[in-house]
Amino acid sequence: MPYPGRGHINPMMNLCKLLTSQKPDILITFVVTEEWLGFIGSEVTPDNIRLATIPNVIPSELVRAADMDGFIDAIMTKMEAPFERLMDRLEPPPCLIVADTFLPWAVRAGNRRSIPAASFWPMPASLFSVFQHFDLLAQNGHYPVELLERGNERVDYIPGVSSTRLADLPHFMNRISPRILHHIHEDFSWVPKAQSLLFPSIYELESQVIDVLRSKFSLPIYTVGPLIPYGKSNDHPSAGIDYIRWLDSQPCSSVLYISMGSFLSFSGAQMDEIAVGLRMSGVRFIWVARGETDRLKDACGDMGLVVPWCEQLRVLCHSSVGGFLTHCGWNSVREAVFAGVPFLTFPLLMDQGMVSNMIVEDWKVGWRLRKVEDRMDHLVTREEIAGLAQKFMDLEDDEGREMRRRAKELKQICHGAIDEGGSSQTNISAFLRDISQSYA
Ligand SMILES: *[C@@H]1O[C@H](CO)[C@@H](O)[C@H](O)[C@H]1NC(C)=O
């Protein structure tokens, strides 16, 4: 049972594919709303993953951004009953529920029926620790707080989490309302009532915080990342795909790949500024700009491509791509780590500030374009963008060289984790063994 959002559904589906490929005799029912079936119904899944739906009891994707509180209220209160009715109908009856941590009622439904539940946390483990220790912020006088004056203060007392500036913590960036905060408390109160916890992360990327969480929770924690679609990254021939042909013709590591997420949070003015900054920098680029393609094409000159969509992992793994300008969505970041590509970060919302902090300060595989002290409505100027993009893509730059070396190191760690005997591989096997044993 994934949370109804793209960033949640994708890693959960990747998990399901991984589990069924390792253990072909299990059957997975992947539950989505009817609206989401329309979005993902045409994706090819193995025979032992079947899609099932509950009615559209929550507001449509199209209006969710306009009323986030209403959307989350509905998720917390309206989905449980149809989910239970679906479980009653399933044949064979389910013997394990894997549910997004933001859907605590799924654990409750499992508890009521004595069906074990695995809680799936779709964000970085460090963010889990922040929410888990939210009371420490209040105790340290950091919540509630006037951000504009104190956003640069360091928070260094969250167990397992390295020093993070206040403004990078999610509740500040996202202006989380008291109502949503209340829901998050409820989400976390149900975690100990699950039988296990799954992270899409890689142990080596967040070992400090995962060790802390393992020592604090009595339930097993499995790190099963990166949960990206790497299985299919090179199966398609490049003939016929314009952007791959274009990449094929560019020099090695010369292209900046740009994807800023869904755009909902970026102003048109900021997008235009990035476009002009790119043109000024003279850097080669490929930009996934969804609906904005036509407008941006005109603004950013002819050094690059603006496309409405692309196979992201395939682009990131292309030898011509040498950098990634990103809003720091956690799924995208794991793909770029896998590909060994360094980052220019532009975080705005939710977990993005913490992810940027991990990239820049913990892993040292990127630079930050949008400064932490910038207000939400601050415009990063074309000059800043041009200057940093140019230095970032300069293969002769000493700082850049060290960053690229680290990115390759992280890539090795990531590939090692999914190889035979690696941390993710052993954790996935352990999870499969443990859930099978509980029904033997
Ligand atoms: C998961 O991986 C970590 C790191 O390699 C390891 O210490 C731990 O034992 C693994 N967990 C299980 C249950 O195999």
Side-chain angles (χ1 to χ4, degrees):
M1 180 76 233
Y3 182 96
R6 184 57 80 177
H8 299 249
I9 287 179
N10 287 354
M12 180 82 92
M13 180 54 89
N14 290 331
L15 172 69
C16 293
K17 289 179 179 166
L18 204 60
L19 295 176
T20 51
S21 74
Q22 311 252 313
K23 197 166 160 43
D25 63 339
I26 55 177
L27 172 65
I28 295 179
T29 307
F30 195 87
V31 185
V32 290
T33 59
E34 279 159 9
E35 179 181 26
W36 271 96
L37 183 69
F39 299 147
I40 68 167
S42 61
E43 283 174 28
V44 183
T45 55
D47 288 341
N48 48 356
I49 300 177
R50 60 183 181 186
L51 298 174
T53 57
I54 58 171
N56 290 327
V57 288
I58 53 172
S60 154
E61 267 301 286
L62 299 173
V63 303
R64 110 182 211 195
D67 179 16
M68 204 53 191
D69 281 20
F71 183 75
I72 293 179
D73 278 346
I75 286 194
M76 296 298 274
T77 57
K78 300 259 168 60
M79 293 175 81
E80 182 171 7
F83 175 73
E84 295 220 42
R85 283 196 292 276
L86 174 72
M87 284 220 296
D88 289 338
R89 290 199 308 269
L90 286 182
E91 275 306 325
C95 49
L96 173 76
I97 298 169
V98 178
D100 196 288
T101 308
F102 291 107
L103 307 177
W105 42 260
V107 176
R108 186 159 61 216
N111 283 189
R112 260 200 298 269
R113 287 148 206 257
S114 303
I115 300 173
S119 187
F120 179 84
W121 175 251
M123 292 177 175
S126 52
L127 194 64
F128 188 96
S129 190
V130 170
F131 283 131
Q132 188 69 31
H133 299 100
F134 205 84
D135 50 333
L136 290 180
L137 287 168
Q139 281 166 32
N140 282 275
H142 277 147
Y143 190 82
V145 82
E146 183 42 65
L147 242 205
L148 283 184
E149 286 153 28
R150 300 179 54 194
N152 257 321
E153 284 181 26
R154 292 269 174 179
V155 172
D156 54 8
Y157 45 78
I158 305 287
V161 178
S162 57
S163 163
T164 307
R165 276 165 301 194
L166 203 47
D168 272 339
L169 294 184
H171 51 291
F172 297 112
M173 300 193 75
N174 209 13
R175 313 268 145 79
I176 292 179
S177 68
R179 216 151 102 213
I180 294 184
L181 204 54
H182 170 80
H183 288 323
I184 291 176
H185 280 300
E186 188 181 348
D187 296 335
F188 276 80
S189 72
W190 279 92
V191 171
K193 295 170 190 138
Q195 278 61 45
S196 58
L197 188 52
L198 295 166
F199 287 127
S201 196
I202 290 169
Y203 174 74
E204 287 80 358
L205 295 184
E206 297 193 275
S207 58
Q208 213 183 342
V209 68
I210 289 163
D211 286 346
V212 166
L213 294 172
R214 280 196 171 127
S215 71
K216 292 207 164 196
F217 278 89
S218 55
L219 72 179
I221 295 178
Y222 305 94
T223 50
V224 295
L227 296 188
I228 56 174
Y230 53 79
K232 61 172 198 185
S233 56
N234 274 321
D235 334 332
H236 311 290
S238 60
I241 307 181
D242 289 346
Y243 61 85
I244 295 290
R245 269 207 312 257
W246 182 80
L247 281 172
D248 287 343
S249 68
Q250 304 303 314
C252 192
S253 300
S254 70
V255 176
L256 180 63
Y257 169 59
I258 305 164
S259 171
M260 307 294 267
S262 70
F263 271 64
L264 291 175
S265 33
F266 287 91
S267 66
Q270 183 64 75
M271 283 295 145
D272 292 339
E273 210 63 19
I274 293 177
V276 176
L278 277 174
R279 189 176 64 206
M280 286 165 58
S281 76
V283 159
R284 293 165 215 265
F285 64 89
I286 173 167
W287 190 346
V288 186
R290 300 186 174 79
E292 308 277 306
T293 317
D294 288 337
R295 190 166 64 84
L296 294 173
K297 252 184 194 150
D298 295 335
C300 54
D302 51 11
M303 284 301 279
L305 280 190
V306 184
V307 295
W309 182 86
C310 75
E311 247 182 284
Q312 173 163 291
L313 185 57
R314 187 151 183 223
V315 167
L316 284 167
C317 290
H318 196 285
S319 60
S320 297
V321 171
F324 182 21
L325 170 54
T326 172
H327 67 303
C328 296
W330 185 223
N331 292 314
S332 293
V333 167
R334 296 196 314 280
E335 292 189 3
V337 166
F338 176 88
V341 172
F343 300 85
L344 262 188
T345 72
F346 205 111
L348 271 184
L349 296 169
M350 297 180 290
D351 56 347
Q352 296 160 11
M354 289 196 73
V355 171
S356 171
N357 195 58
M358 283 159 72
I359 291 170
V360 176
E361 297 195 17
D362 295 351
W363 307 334
K364 302 188 179 9
V365 292
W367 298 341
R368 187 165 179 143
L369 187 50
R370 181 181 170 275
K371 297 286 169 286
V372 66
E373 60 271 24
D374 289 347
R375 295 165 45 131
M376 287 288 285
D377 54 4
H378 172 88
L379 198 66
V380 181
T381 65
R382 55 191 69 186
E383 287 81 15
E384 288 172 85
I385 294 161
L388 202 59
Q390 210 167 49
K391 183 173 160 67
F392 178 76
M393 294 305 292
D394 177 3
L395 296 176
E396 302 303 317
D397 183 82
D398 283 339
E399 279 173 75
R401 198 177 284 138
E402 175 56 19
M403 172 179 69
R404 278 187 287 277
R405 191 190 61 74
R406 288 278 308 143
K408 295 287 177 251
E409 235 171 61
L410 228 54
K411 171 181 175 175
Q412 295 311 321
I413 289 171
C414 184
H415 287 246
I418 53 181
D419 282 347
E420 199 58 43
S423 60
S424 291
Q425 181 55 40
T426 54
N427 275 233
I428 290 159
S429 306
F431 176 66
L432 283 168
R433 184 195 62 218
D434 296 349
I435 59 176
S436 314
Q437 271 170 4
S438 49
Y439 320 113

